[in-house]
Each structure stands twice: as structure tokens, then as C-alpha cells.
Amino acid sequence: MTAAERLFAENGLSAVSHRQISDAAGQRNVTAVSYHFGSKTDLVRAIMTRHGEPVDLIRHRYAAEAEGSEDVRVWVGALVRPVTEHLASLGVPSWNARLSAQVMTDPQMRALTVEEALHRPYLRQILDGLGRCLAHLPAEVRAARGDMARHLIIHVCADRERALAEGSALLHGSWEKTADALTDAIFGLLTAPTTASRP
């Protein structure tokens, strides 16, 4: 899974074959990936689950701290910080954020990943808490801004992970500062006034 995650993150999902993964993992048997995981979709799902479970454990803590709050910023922090804390725990280099960005640009993989994530109870609890705080917004506005927030989290984290791996100028200086910047940006996005609809 580690070899596949790295190759997918660096080259894209469609550019990586089972043979390349087997070679990178030091497996002589070119059918090893198919034997253990089946399809590429199943392999990606297994990798995302491997990271999703520890992120959800961190979310449990933040969801418990946020419970009962009516502060949008508290709930946004509960959404953002479990992701950045997990990425910080992976060391350098890591590939999970870049893989997530690849997955979100592939229609089939994106649908599977979003469906899997929404079954995680603490993510659902956090999204419900945010929804209650933003109940004054029309449903379509909440949905659109939720999509934008997800893209911000995924792509800002992928950019930082890439910068760390390359040793280039480091966006925001640390994962904690990245979480601060994302929390501020998403808070602003979610609470911005809406533009009146044109006839």
C-alpha cells in the first residue's frame, strides 16, 4: 500500500500499473497487487481507509470538544485539524494529501471516497454541527460552500505535503499554521454574505 500510495501521489492514478506497484514494493510476482487487493479501485479504497480511521479517531476528540457550540469557527477547526494533525504524524516525505487530491479529480474514485468518508460517525457529527450553525443559509449555498471547503482542505494540504517532500519554500511554516490559515479561510467562506440572485 505504501508503494502504491507514493506512485499514485507522484504520477496520478491512471498512470500507474499493478506491475509498477509490485516492482516498487520489491515483489517479484506481478500479480501480487491483484491477489491482495483485486482492482485498482479496491487498492485505493484500502489506502484511504488506512488513513481515514486514524483521522476519525482524532475527529472524535474535536467533535466532543465542539459539542453544543454555536461557534462556526469551533466546528471548522474540528473539520480541519484532524486532517492536518494526521498529516503531521506521517513525517516527511508523505503522500496521503497528494493521493487525496488525485482521488478527488477522478469521478469514480471521488464518489467512492466521499461515500466512505460520510459513513464516518465523527465526520458526520462535525458536519451536522456546522449545518446547525449555518441553518440560516439556503441549502444550495451550504452545499456549494461545503464543496469549496473540501477542495481548500485537500489542495492546500497537498501543496504543503509536496513542498515538504521537495524541500522547497514551506507554505505556512508548519501543519499547525496551515490548520490556522485553513480555519480562517473556511470560516470566512462559510459565513460570507450571499449575493442576491439576479432575475
Side-chain angles (χ1 to χ4, degrees):
M1 281 197 287
T2 300
E5 184 176 24
R6 176 176 60 79
L7 290 172
F8 289 148
E10 292 175 347
N11 302 296
L13 297 173
S14 62
V16 177
S17 68
H18 283 187
R19 178 183 289 275
Q20 289 171 306
I21 296 167
S22 294
D23 288 347
Q27 297 290 316
R28 291 187 202 151
N29 183 354
V30 296
T31 64
V33 174
S34 297
Y35 175 78
H36 289 289
F37 297 101
S39 69
K40 185 181 287 188
T41 300
D42 293 329
L43 174 56
V44 170
R45 184 186 285 120
I47 295 168
M48 299 304 284
T49 298
R50 181 170 81 165
H51 290 284
E53 289 173 351
V55 171
D56 213 43
L57 288 175
I58 301 170
R59 277 194 197 108
H60 183 194
R61 185 176 84 243
Y62 280 97
E65 291 171 1
E67 191 57 40
S69 176
E70 296 179 8
D71 185 339
V72 174
R73 187 180 294 275
V74 169
W75 287 107
V76 171
L79 183 67
V80 169
R81 293 185 188 283
V83 176
T84 56
E85 280 189 25
H86 175 67
L87 291 169
S89 76
L90 298 177
V92 178
S94 62
W95 301 276
N96 181 243
R98 287 174 285 169
L99 172 62
S100 296
Q102 295 284 348
V103 165
M104 294 308 284
T105 61
D106 181 285
Q108 181 186 15
M109 297 289 191
R110 179 179 185 272
L112 289 170
T113 304
V114 169
E115 179 185 340
E116 191 269 342
L118 291 177
H119 280 92
R120 297 203 173 275
Y122 304 116
L123 176 58
R124 186 76 264 158
Q125 184 180 348
I126 291 165
L127 294 176
D128 288 346
L130 265 175
R132 288 190 299 274
C133 293
L134 300 170
H136 61 284
L137 293 173
E140 65 273 13
V141 171
R142 289 198 310 271
R145 291 181 180 185
D147 283 343
M148 293 176 204
R150 182 170 59 247
H151 284 291
L152 268 176
I153 294 168
I154 289 169
H155 290 287
V156 168
C157 288
D159 284 347
R160 173 163 171 72
E161 185 181 70
R162 185 179 299 107
L164 283 168
E166 293 171 352
S168 59
L170 302 183
L171 187 65
H172 305 304
S174 71
W175 281 113
E176 186 173 352
K177 289 183 179 178
T178 300
D180 291 341
L182 278 169
T183 299
D184 291 343
I186 294 169
F187 173 79
L189 168 66
L190 295 178
T191 59
T194 56
T195 303
S197 297
R198 293 180 176 86

